[in-house]
Amino acid sequence: MRLARRALLAAPLAFALPRTARAQAWPVKPIRVIVPFAAGGAADSSARTILPRLGELLGTTFVVENRTGASGSIGGAAVAQSAPDGYTLLYDASSHIVNPSLLRNLPFDYATAFTPISLVATFPQAISVKADFPARTIGELLEAARRRPGEISIGTQGNATAGHLALAQLERSAGVKFTHVSYRGGAAAARDLAGGTLDGTLITVLSTRPVVEAGRARMLALTIPQRLPAFPDVPTLAESGFPGFDVSEWVGLFAPAGTPAAIVDRLHAELAKVLAEEPIRSRLDQLGAVPVGSAPRDFARFVREGREAMAVLVREANITAD
């Protein structure tokens, strides 16, 4: 009788242990990460810099899948419709907060379909002008735009991208009007800036830097709150008469809604370790990225507030997806 009672008391623990072990076992297979942008771009390059090391810390491998189209919403839909088990993630960019205001009939709701894990990195943008353009400062560029409304051409990396949104916000804040020239990527805009067919650009520092360093263009201002160590003499728009101006391209990691908090927290904890490592930070610096690694709660707030702000800007500036 005494032995039977001991066996009975031990039984719940015996059954509980396998469930606990299973919960702690994640990950037990490779993790698929969908990047909804083309291979070789800033988002894809940063993902392929970070994820191998993250896989080492988690004891697994990450398989990057580029699923492009519809401003990133095709890749977003694939993740939104995946099982919330930690084995399918989304590595998205600022289109994540813009698409809800631009795209109609989406098969998912950006606000409810995902669990934010971490803001991985930001990609500062810069306003630059061609080498022979007379403006030497952002103030002089804006004054020229006031004298010649709609005559100065500014190229961005595409319609409704972070560059276009930053340009629209600058026009609204400064009371000026440029001619927006939309490109398919910052590299193409930078080439025309170097060739002199564009007056200026508002694209990432990553795309602008080679042209500036070659003496084919001048960087006038940054769209982020702080100056960059690589360009200490280039002021920010925030310190140039536009307090609070902060429009950057960024990349972040998301999971499908309903993913267990333990998995989300572990992904963030290990990602933060990766972003603190000097080799990773050095490689990201070469890509023109500033590592962040924010906590899930902070990233969720960042996404929510960004989505609300972009909705206002898109409406007031009459930006469309076409």
Side-chain angles (χ1 to χ4, degrees):
M1 180 66 71
R2 188 172 298 170
L3 290 174
R5 183 178 297 172
R6 289 176 181 170
L8 184 62
L9 291 172
L13 180 60
F15 283 104
L17 284 174
R19 286 198 297 270
T20 303
R22 284 196 296 272
Q24 294 176 340
W26 180 91
V28 295
K29 63 179 182 179
I31 298 171
R32 181 176 63 146
V33 178
I34 290 182
V35 177
F37 308 103
D44 177 74
S45 297
S46 64
R48 294 178 189 275
T49 296
I50 293 164
L51 294 177
R53 178 57 180 148
L54 182 59
E56 291 176 3
L57 295 184
L58 289 171
T60 188
T61 57
F62 283 89
V63 179
V64 175
E65 179 181 333
N66 298 96
R67 190 172 294 195
T68 64
S71 299
S73 64
I74 290 177
V79 177
Q81 296 160 6
S82 297
D85 56 8
Y87 290 104
T88 302
L89 304 175
L90 177 67
Y91 195 87
D92 211 352
S94 61
S95 56
H96 193 96
I97 62 176
V98 180
N99 284 347
S101 299
L102 289 177
L103 306 181
R104 302 290 180 262
N105 302 316
L106 285 168
F108 63 96
D109 184 351
Y110 272 98
T112 60
F114 305 101
T115 296
I117 298 171
S118 183
L119 175 60
V120 177
T122 60
F123 291 84
Q125 300 184 105
I127 302 171
S128 304
V129 293
K130 60 184 179 180
D132 61 355
F133 194 86
R136 310 293 299 187
T137 67
I138 185 62
E140 291 177 359
L141 173 63
L142 295 175
E143 183 56 36
R146 292 188 185 96
R147 292 195 308 268
R148 302 157 49 198
E151 295 182 20
I152 299 173
S153 59
I154 302 291
T156 72
Q157 59 262 49
N159 203 49
T161 61
H164 184 194
L165 293 166
L167 181 64
Q169 183 168 323
L170 179 61
E171 288 179 319
R172 186 178 61 168
S173 300
V176 299
K177 183 62 180 177
F178 294 102
T179 294
H180 172 230
V181 183
S182 177
Y183 286 81
R184 299 190 65 177
R191 282 195 297 271
D192 278 359
L193 179 66
T197 57
L198 270 179
D199 292 318
T201 56
L202 207 167
I203 54 180
T204 63
V205 172
L206 171 65
S207 297
T208 312
R209 188 172 189 168
V211 179
V212 171
E213 291 179 343
R216 307 297 296 275
R218 290 190 307 280
M219 201 177 292
L220 301 184
L222 300 168
T223 66
I224 55 175
Q226 295 86 29
R227 296 193 185 198
L228 290 175
F231 297 96
D233 296 329
V234 178
T236 67
L237 284 172
E239 65 180 285
S240 303
F242 304 97
F245 197 106
D246 184 10
V247 183
S248 297
E249 186 56 86
W250 54 264
V251 287
L253 194 62
F254 299 82
T259 299
I263 292 177
V264 172
D265 289 342
R266 189 173 177 207
L267 278 165
H268 164 253
E270 300 302 336
L271 176 62
K273 294 177 185 176
V274 171
L275 294 175
E277 295 179 355
E278 185 54 38
I280 297 294
R281 297 180 71 87
S282 177
R283 175 57 181 150
L284 289 175
D285 180 66
Q286 294 173 13
L287 293 175
V290 178
V292 181
S294 60
R297 179 183 300 178
D298 295 332
F299 187 35
R301 182 174 63 253
F302 172 89
V303 171
R304 182 178 62 254
E305 293 176 352
R307 186 167 53 240
E308 293 169 356
M310 288 301 105
V312 173
L313 180 60
V314 167
R315 182 177 66 252
E316 293 185 351
N318 196 30
I319 295 173
T320 65
D322 299 327

